[in-house]
Amino acid sequence: MLAGALTFLAGALLASAYFLLKNRRNTPYLQLDLDALPALGEDLRTLAGLTDGAVTSGNACQILQDGALFPAMEADIAAARCAVHLETFVWTAGEVERRFVELLSRKAREGVKVRVLIDALGSSGGDEENLKRLVESGVQLSSYCKPRWWNLRRFNHRTHRKLLIIDGVVGYTFGHGIADQWLGHGEDEKHWRDTAVRVEGPAVQALQSVFMENWIEESHCVPAGEGCFPALEPKGDIDAHVVSSASGDAVSSVALLYTVAIACAKREVIIQNPYFAPDDGVCELLAMMVKRGVAVHLMLPGAHTDSPFVRRAGCRLYEQLLEGGVRLYEFMPTLIHQKIVIVDEIWAHIGSTNFDSRSLSLNEEVGIGIRDVRIARELKAAFESDLKRSKELTLEAWRRRAWYSRVFDWVAYQVHDQL
């Protein structure tokens, strides 16, 4: 009896492990006709259409750096009349959590429909009493993919999306979590560097749809009525498109977005990302772009990181990147946490997606592509400011690393698809 039970348990664990490792989206990189791809300043429909999105015109966008995000979000939540929808991965006890709990609870007591979706693992550092206060005040709170022994297949599926939508008319997407390390100005290791965008106009409806997807999946409730999908008037002159990916997708839309956007570049690509450990096809693509005359700049964390194993896996690719002519920088003061891609000073992408296999192949992610010279130049200016606090790596110096560092990097990269 006992032997049979143990055999059954071992089989169940092996089957679960198989699904954890195999249930991944495909991440295509190199099957591209580079000459057929249009410049993003001329045609945004190709990029949006390939990634299951649609271009909307008449949007207004505001870039928010570091801790400046929270006062803006709080002001919009305080002004909410009918609905507040918040989705986040990280939710940790501290000042930011306290502020949001108090504000969201107050709005719920005022009669506003407040729906909060937090990832079950990412929110494990939250204050249970504060979460209880949210529910008691009338906030509809749901946790995404709670770990359960009978459903280990979903354990690897996490919502890494960061979204806030107010009354269906104002939307945010960002890299921040509800946690104190996002306060400040990215000035030291306790205050991370990050970037967000506030959106008004027709693109907000697409952000709302992404939130609804996860909310309905997890809560089994279908929101409707005022504040969900109102008619949206033009608010500016920016073209934008929202891209998202879900764990059940056959092909990763966010991986495809990054791939095609880079391949569309004619002059320059700038990437800032905290977790860089993709398949090595990314390095080949970046080197191909350098050969075509495109300047490629890649800024990643230095010693300050909350995922050193992921960083070491990414280090396995640095020599290949440098050999390919990519300019590679390490940000020194703190963890650089923004997920930014800028192409040709005309198009930029902001959102939750890291440049690692977990974001590109497993997680639920979201971001917004923006075609606007002003926004692209503002983000490039922030990148250039970050360069002053960064160290550029050289191929010669990188090749002089100790042998054991190379071994560690190689070992870490062997499991990069689960990091």
Side-chain angles (χ1 to χ4, degrees), residues 99-119:
R99 284 160 47 180
F100 272 76
V101 167
E102 289 181 0
L103 180 56
L104 294 169
S105 297
R106 174 164 62 83
K107 297 307 293 185
R109 288 192 296 268
E110 292 174 0
V112 173
K113 297 290 185 183
V114 179
R115 300 176 177 98
V116 176
L117 179 62
I118 55 178
D119 184 82

Short mmCIF file of all heavy atoms in Angstrom, two decimals, residues 99-119:
data_model
loop_
_atom_site.label_atom_id
_atom_site.label_comp_id
_atom_site.label_asym_id
_atom_site.label_seq_id
_atom_site.Cartn_x
_atom_site.Cartn_y
_atom_site.Cartn_z
N ARG A 99 -0.22 53.16 2.04
CA ARG A 99 -0.89 54.26 1.34
C ARG A 99 -1.96 53.75 0.38
O ARG A 99 -3.08 54.28 0.33
CB ARG A 99 0.15 55.10 0.60
CG ARG A 99 0.95 56.02 1.51
CD ARG A 99 2.27 56.48 0.90
NE ARG A 99 2.19 56.96 -0.48
CZ ARG A 99 3.24 57.41 -1.16
NH1 ARG A 99 4.44 57.44 -0.57
NH2 ARG A 99 3.11 57.83 -2.40
N PHE A 100 -1.64 52.71 -0.36
CA PHE A 100 -2.60 52.19 -1.34
C PHE A 100 -3.76 51.48 -0.65
O PHE A 100 -4.91 51.58 -1.11
CB PHE A 100 -1.90 51.27 -2.33
CG PHE A 100 -1.34 52.00 -3.52
CD1 PHE A 100 -0.17 52.75 -3.40
CD2 PHE A 100 -1.98 51.98 -4.73
CE1 PHE A 100 0.34 53.45 -4.47
CE2 PHE A 100 -1.48 52.67 -5.82
CZ PHE A 100 -0.31 53.42 -5.69
N VAL A 101 -3.50 50.79 0.43
CA VAL A 101 -4.59 50.13 1.16
C VAL A 101 -5.57 51.16 1.69
O VAL A 101 -6.79 51.02 1.56
CB VAL A 101 -4.03 49.26 2.29
CG1 VAL A 101 -5.15 48.83 3.26
CG2 VAL A 101 -3.34 48.01 1.72
N GLU A 102 -5.05 52.23 2.28
CA GLU A 102 -5.93 53.27 2.82
C GLU A 102 -6.75 53.92 1.71
O GLU A 102 -7.97 54.12 1.85
CB GLU A 102 -5.09 54.33 3.54
CG GLU A 102 -4.49 53.83 4.86
CD GLU A 102 -3.68 54.91 5.55
OE1 GLU A 102 -3.60 56.04 5.00
OE2 GLU A 102 -3.14 54.64 6.65
N LEU A 103 -6.10 54.24 0.58
CA LEU A 103 -6.80 54.92 -0.50
C LEU A 103 -7.82 54.01 -1.18
O LEU A 103 -8.98 54.41 -1.41
CB LEU A 103 -5.78 55.42 -1.52
CG LEU A 103 -6.33 56.16 -2.75
CD1 LEU A 103 -7.20 57.35 -2.34
CD2 LEU A 103 -5.18 56.62 -3.64
N LEU A 104 -7.43 52.79 -1.49
CA LEU A 104 -8.34 51.86 -2.15
C LEU A 104 -9.52 51.51 -1.25
O LEU A 104 -10.67 51.40 -1.71
CB LEU A 104 -7.59 50.60 -2.57
CG LEU A 104 -6.53 50.79 -3.66
CD1 LEU A 104 -5.68 49.52 -3.80
CD2 LEU A 104 -7.16 51.15 -5.00
N SER A 105 -9.26 51.37 0.03
CA SER A 105 -10.34 51.08 0.98
C SER A 105 -11.33 52.24 1.05
O SER A 105 -12.55 52.03 1.07
CB SER A 105 -9.76 50.79 2.37
OG SER A 105 -8.94 49.63 2.35
N ARG A 106 -10.80 53.45 1.06
CA ARG A 106 -11.68 54.62 1.12
C ARG A 106 -12.56 54.71 -0.12
O ARG A 106 -13.76 54.99 -0.03
CB ARG A 106 -10.84 55.90 1.28
CG ARG A 106 -11.66 57.19 1.21
CD ARG A 106 -10.90 58.36 1.76
NE ARG A 106 -9.69 58.64 1.02
CZ ARG A 106 -9.63 59.36 -0.10
NH1 ARG A 106 -10.75 59.84 -0.63
NH2 ARG A 106 -8.48 59.60 -0.70
N LYS A 107 -11.96 54.47 -1.28
CA LYS A 107 -12.75 54.54 -2.51
C LYS A 107 -13.82 53.45 -2.54
O LYS A 107 -14.95 53.69 -3.02
CB LYS A 107 -11.85 54.42 -3.74
CG LYS A 107 -10.83 55.53 -3.90
CD LYS A 107 -11.45 56.93 -3.86
CE LYS A 107 -12.34 57.21 -5.05
NZ LYS A 107 -12.83 58.61 -5.07
N ALA A 108 -13.50 52.27 -2.04
CA ALA A 108 -14.51 51.21 -2.00
C ALA A 108 -15.66 51.59 -1.08
O ALA A 108 -16.84 51.35 -1.39
CB ALA A 108 -13.86 49.90 -1.53
N ARG A 109 -15.35 52.21 0.05
CA ARG A 109 -16.42 52.63 0.98
C ARG A 109 -17.27 53.73 0.36
O ARG A 109 -18.44 53.88 0.70
CB ARG A 109 -15.81 53.08 2.31
CG ARG A 109 -15.25 51.93 3.15
CD ARG A 109 -14.93 52.39 4.56
NE ARG A 109 -13.87 53.40 4.57
CZ ARG A 109 -12.58 53.11 4.71
NH1 ARG A 109 -12.18 51.85 4.82
NH2 ARG A 109 -11.67 54.08 4.73
N GLU A 110 -16.69 54.50 -0.56
CA GLU A 110 -17.45 55.56 -1.24
C GLU A 110 -18.36 55.00 -2.33
O GLU A 110 -19.13 55.75 -2.93
CB GLU A 110 -16.49 56.57 -1.86
CG GLU A 110 -15.72 57.41 -0.83
CD GLU A 110 -14.67 58.30 -1.48
OE1 GLU A 110 -14.56 58.26 -2.74
OE2 GLU A 110 -13.96 59.03 -0.76
N GLY A 111 -18.25 53.71 -2.60
CA GLY A 111 -19.10 53.10 -3.60
C GLY A 111 -18.44 52.84 -4.94
O GLY A 111 -19.09 52.35 -5.87
N VAL A 112 -17.16 53.14 -5.05
CA VAL A 112 -16.42 52.86 -6.28
C VAL A 112 -16.13 51.36 -6.35
O VAL A 112 -15.77 50.75 -5.34
CB VAL A 112 -15.10 53.66 -6.32
CG1 VAL A 112 -14.25 53.25 -7.51
CG2 VAL A 112 -15.40 55.16 -6.37
N LYS A 113 -16.27 50.76 -7.52
CA LYS A 113 -15.93 49.35 -7.71
C LYS A 113 -14.41 49.23 -7.79
O LYS A 113 -13.80 49.65 -8.78
CB LYS A 113 -16.56 48.81 -8.99
CG LYS A 113 -18.08 48.82 -9.00
CD LYS A 113 -18.65 47.79 -8.03
CE LYS A 113 -20.17 47.72 -8.13
NZ LYS A 113 -20.75 46.77 -7.15
N VAL A 114 -13.82 48.68 -6.77
CA VAL A 114 -12.36 48.54 -6.73
C VAL A 114 -12.02 47.05 -6.87
O VAL A 114 -12.42 46.23 -6.04
CB VAL A 114 -11.77 49.09 -5.42
CG1 VAL A 114 -10.26 48.92 -5.40
CG2 VAL A 114 -12.15 50.56 -5.25
N ARG A 115 -11.30 46.73 -7.93
CA ARG A 115 -10.87 45.35 -8.18
C ARG A 115 -9.35 45.31 -8.20
O ARG A 115 -8.70 46.04 -8.96
CB ARG A 115 -11.45 44.86 -9.51
CG ARG A 115 -12.98 44.87 -9.54
CD ARG A 115 -13.53 44.45 -10.90
NE ARG A 115 -15.00 44.41 -10.86
CZ ARG A 115 -15.79 45.40 -11.29
NH1 ARG A 115 -15.24 46.52 -11.79
NH2 ARG A 115 -17.10 45.30 -11.22
N VAL A 116 -8.78 44.47 -7.36
CA VAL A 116 -7.33 44.37 -7.22
C VAL A 116 -6.93 42.92 -7.47
O VAL A 116 -7.44 42.01 -6.80
CB VAL A 116 -6.85 44.83 -5.84
CG1 VAL A 116 -5.35 44.62 -5.69
CG2 VAL A 116 -7.22 46.29 -5.60
N LEU A 117 -6.02 42.72 -8.41
CA LEU A 117 -5.51 41.39 -8.72
C LEU A 117 -4.01 41.37 -8.45
O LEU A 117 -3.26 42.14 -9.05
CB LEU A 117 -5.78 41.04 -10.19
CG LEU A 117 -5.28 39.67 -10.66
CD1 LEU A 117 -5.94 38.54 -9.89
CD2 LEU A 117 -5.50 39.51 -12.17
N ILE A 118 -3.59 40.52 -7.53
CA ILE A 118 -2.18 40.41 -7.18
C ILE A 118 -1.72 38.98 -7.44
O ILE A 118 -2.49 38.03 -7.30
CB ILE A 118 -1.93 40.79 -5.70
CG1 ILE A 118 -2.81 39.97 -4.75
CG2 ILE A 118 -2.15 42.28 -5.48
CD1 ILE A 118 -2.58 40.26 -3.28
N ASP A 119 -0.47 38.83 -7.83
CA ASP A 119 0.06 37.50 -8.05
C ASP A 119 0.29 36.81 -6.71
O ASP A 119 0.81 37.42 -5.77
CB ASP A 119 1.37 37.56 -8.83
CG ASP A 119 1.90 36.19 -9.16
OD1 ASP A 119 1.42 35.60 -10.15
OD2 ASP A 119 2.78 35.70 -8.43
#
